[in-house]
Amino acid sequence: MTTQYATTTQTDHRPARWAADTVATLREGARLRLDYSVQSLWRLDRVIEELRRDHPPYEAVAHALRGFGAYAGEVIARETGAEWHATADTHWLRTPDGRIWDPVSEARRAFAGEGTLRGLCREATGVY
């Protein structure tokens, strides 16, 4: 899913930290290893599907979804050379070809049953 943003700020490094925290949390809590590969997004999409099946309120999973989106963004960044940017209330990636990607919003969409992180990554990277 590409999205256009009118304003940008400096490259933002917080999403990389959120992604690293997600990797550590899932490794310790769920014994799930994430290696920043495109294939690892299949596992993360399954985690989101399991969360959705449990029907928690969005507020209960919002922090985790932000981390999942940041992880997907880091996968895209590593595959494409994209850089993180931020506006007042969102973080997004710009790939070297100029396209804009919002993986944090895609994680929220995945939780709502309307998207997948692996689909976003496939579109952004061309890696299937």
Side-chain angles (χ1 to χ4, degrees), residues 32-100:
L32 178 66
R33 292 208 173 266
L34 299 175
D35 61 3
Y36 293 96
S37 68
V38 173
Q39 295 78 18
S40 69
L41 294 175
W42 284 89
R43 284 173 276 188
L44 201 51
D45 277 335
R46 279 185 286 184
V47 170
I48 293 171
E49 289 170 17
E50 290 172 15
L51 283 174
R52 187 175 59 246
R53 277 195 294 263
D54 289 341
H55 304 291
Y58 172 77
E59 296 76 24
V61 296
H63 183 76
L65 293 172
R66 181 186 73 179
F68 297 165
Y71 175 82
E74 281 297 297
V75 172
I76 293 168
R78 291 172 185 212
E79 288 289 324
T80 67
E83 291 186 349
W84 284 101
H85 296 273
T87 55
D89 61 350
T90 190
H91 292 81
W92 49 275
L93 290 165
R94 181 185 306 272
T95 49
D97 60 9
R99 293 183 296 167
I100 305 295

Side-chain angles (χ1 to χ4, degrees), residues 1 3-12 14-15 18 66 84-93 100-106 108:
M1 173 180 154
T3 307
Q4 295 297 320
Y5 291 96
T7 60
T8 63
T9 60
Q10 294 178 297
T11 301
D12 195 312
R14 284 179 288 179
W18 299 335
R66 181 186 73 179
W84 284 101
H85 296 273
T87 55
D89 61 350
T90 190
H91 292 81
W92 49 275
L93 290 165
I100 305 295
W101 305 93
D102 187 347
V104 175
S105 289
E106 189 67 15
R108 292 180 194 123

